[in-house]
Amino acid sequence: MFDTAEAYNAGRPEIALGQAARADGRPVLLASKFAPFPYRVSTAQFASALDKTLERLGRDCLGLYYLHFPYSVRGVGTWMTAMAGAVKAGKIRAVGISNCTGAQMRKAAGVLARYGVPLAASQVHHSLLHRKPETDGVLEACRRMDVALVAYRPLGGGAISAGSLAGPGRSALAGTLAEVAATRNATAAQVALAWLLKRDDHVIAIPGATRPEHVRENAGALLLELSEEELAAIDRVSAPAPAR
Ligand SMILES: NC(=O)c1ccc[n+]([C@@H]2O[C@H](COP(=O)([O-])OP(=O)(O)OC[C@H]3O[C@@H](n4cnc5c(N)ncnc54)[C@H](OP(=O)(O)O)[C@@H]3O)[C@@H](O)[C@H]2O)c1
């Protein structure tokens, strides 16, 4: 699964991803996002944005299409109705939302359900440095509704893998990650990703990487099964944020 968005770099990553997927030829799931900018108020604008994304990707159908964020003059429900229409039209296969709360997930799923479309994914910031989804109801909603929690920025934007975490309490985390990594002949990035995947079966991490060696290294996290003791040691130095 490759994740992109129309809002990233004026759509250029969509063009690059489409070209790369065609050149490689292997089946891939491409995910992109609709940005409900303030000037976007109608389902016709939604349809036009999706068509442009498909054009840039060079595809007739997109594997997964997200509402990028909920901040919009139109509610989440309006955009979910448009999403359901796009599923029925065969332009997208699955629907997701991003940067949304548990309540917004329930609202989205309720509107989609009217059209017989499930909510497939909820993409939120989730990492050892940002554990909010574990306490704000998003992970819980994913479990209850059987929705994938797609964890973005899972390496803290690169801070975790750099091994030199700055900030209060972070040196303990860096030390523990390095320790676990050393005993497992792994890297801190792999341990951080393996920790994330162990949160719940619903969690899928989407690490960003521009270097092929980073992609290979991160894929290696799938083979790293952390023990309960290792998970507990990491948890001790990375407490989740208290519920609000
Ligand atoms: N929905 C949203 O609002 C939202 C917001 C932010 C991000 N996202 C999505 O989430 C994806 C990932 O987030 P992100 O890129 O912001 O943060 P990230 O995945 O936490 O970190 C990416 C950074 O980590 C480095 N890195 C990756 N693997 C590494 C490794 N094994 N060792 C050392 N460094 C490593 C990368 O370096 P190199 O580039 O040198 O490989 C890059 O600088 C994005 O690509 C985007 O698709 C979504």
Side-chain angles (χ1 to χ4, degrees), residues 5 29 32 36 47 72 78 90 109 115 130 138 162 165 176 189 197 201 206 218:
L29 193 157
S32 194
S72 161
T78 299
Y115 303 92
H130 188 92
V138 168
L165 289 166
T176 305
L197 296 176
D201 283 348
I206 49 164
N218 296 341

Coordinates of all heavy atoms in Angstrom, one line a residue, residues 5 29 32 36 47 72 78 90 109 115 130 138 162 165 176 189 197 201 206 218:
A5 N -1.5 12.0 -1.4 CA -2.6 12.9 -1.3 C -2.5 14.0 -2.4 O -1.3 14.3 -2.7 CB -2.6 13.5 0.1
L29 N -1.7 -1.4 -3.9 CA -2.9 -0.7 -3.5 C -2.4 0.8 -3.3 O -1.5 1.1 -2.6 CB -3.4 -1.2 -2.1 CG -4.8 -0.7 -1.7 CD1 -5.4 -1.7 -0.7 CD2 -4.8 0.7 -1.1
S32 N -5.1 7.6 -1.9 CA -4.9 9.1 -1.9 C -6.0 9.8 -1.1 O -6.8 9.1 -0.5 CB -4.9 9.6 -3.4 OG -4.4 10.9 -3.4
P36 N -10.7 18.7 1.8 CA -11.9 19.6 1.8 C -11.6 21.1 2.1 O -12.0 21.6 3.1 CB -12.8 19.0 2.9 CG -11.8 18.4 3.9 CD -10.6 18.0 3.1
A47 N -16.1 15.3 -7.0 CA -15.9 14.5 -8.1 C -14.8 14.9 -9.0 O -14.0 14.1 -9.6 CB -17.3 14.4 -8.9
S72 N -14.0 21.4 7.6 CA -14.7 21.8 6.4 C -16.0 22.5 6.6 O -16.6 22.2 7.7 CB -14.9 20.5 5.6 OG -15.9 20.6 4.6
T78 N -21.5 15.0 4.4 CA -21.6 15.4 3.0 C -20.5 14.7 2.2 O -20.8 14.1 1.1 CB -21.4 16.9 2.9 OG1 -22.4 17.5 3.6 CG2 -21.4 17.4 1.4
G90 N -17.6 3.1 -9.3 CA -16.5 2.3 -9.6 C -15.2 3.0 -9.7 O -14.2 2.6 -10.2
A109 N -19.1 6.3 9.3 CA -19.5 5.0 9.1 C -21.0 4.9 9.0 O -21.6 4.1 8.1 CB -19.0 4.1 10.2
Y115 N -25.5 3.5 2.3 CA -25.3 3.1 0.9 C -24.6 1.7 0.8 O -24.1 1.3 -0.2 CB -24.3 4.1 0.2 CG -24.9 5.5 0.3 CD1 -24.6 6.4 1.4 CD2 -25.8 6.0 -0.6 CE1 -25.1 7.7 1.5 CE2 -26.4 7.3 -0.6 CZ -26.0 8.1 0.5 OH -26.6 9.3 0.6
H130 N 3.7 9.8 19.8 CA 2.4 10.4 19.7 C 1.4 9.3 19.9 O 0.9 8.7 18.9 CB 2.2 11.1 18.4 CG 1.0 11.9 18.3 ND1 0.9 13.2 18.6 CD2 -0.3 11.5 17.9 CE1 -0.4 13.6 18.4 NE2 -1.1 12.6 18.0
V138 N -9.9 6.7 19.3 CA -9.8 6.3 17.9 C -9.4 4.8 17.8 O -10.1 4.1 17.0 CB -8.7 7.2 17.1 CG1 -8.4 6.6 15.8 CG2 -9.3 8.6 17.0
A162 N 16.4 8.2 14.1 CA 17.7 8.9 14.2 C 18.5 8.5 15.4 O 19.7 8.6 15.5 CB 17.5 10.4 14.2
L165 N 16.9 11.0 20.3 CA 15.6 11.7 20.6 C 15.8 12.9 21.6 O 16.3 12.6 22.7 CB 14.6 10.7 21.2 CG 14.1 9.7 20.2 CD1 13.4 8.5 20.9 CD2 13.1 10.3 19.2
T176 N 16.2 2.6 25.5 CA 15.4 1.4 25.5 C 15.3 0.8 24.1 O 15.5 -0.4 23.8 CB 14.0 1.5 26.1 OG1 14.2 2.1 27.4 CG2 13.3 0.2 26.2
A189 N 14.4 1.8 14.3 CA 13.2 2.1 13.5 C 12.4 0.8 13.4 O 11.2 0.8 13.5 CB 13.6 2.5 12.1
L197 N 2.9 -2.1 15.5 CA 2.1 -3.2 14.9 C 1.5 -4.1 16.0 O 0.5 -4.7 15.8 CB 2.9 -4.0 13.9 CG 3.3 -3.2 12.7 CD1 4.2 -4.1 11.8 CD2 2.1 -2.6 11.9
D201 N -4.2 -5.7 16.1 CA -4.2 -6.2 14.7 C -4.8 -5.2 13.7 O -4.6 -5.3 12.5 CB -5.1 -7.4 14.6 CG -4.3 -8.6 15.2 OD1 -3.1 -8.5 15.4 OD2 -5.0 -9.7 15.4
I206 N 2.4 3.3 8.1 CA 2.9 3.7 6.8 C 4.1 4.6 6.9 O 4.0 5.8 6.7 CB 1.8 4.4 6.0 CG1 1.0 5.5 6.8 CG2 0.7 3.4 5.5 CD1 0.2 6.5 6.0
N218 N 12.5 -1.0 6.9 CA 11.2 -0.9 7.5 C 10.3 -2.2 7.3 O 9.6 -2.6 8.2 CB 10.5 0.4 7.1 CG 11.2 1.6 7.5 OD1 12.1 1.6 8.4 ND2 11.0 2.7 6.8

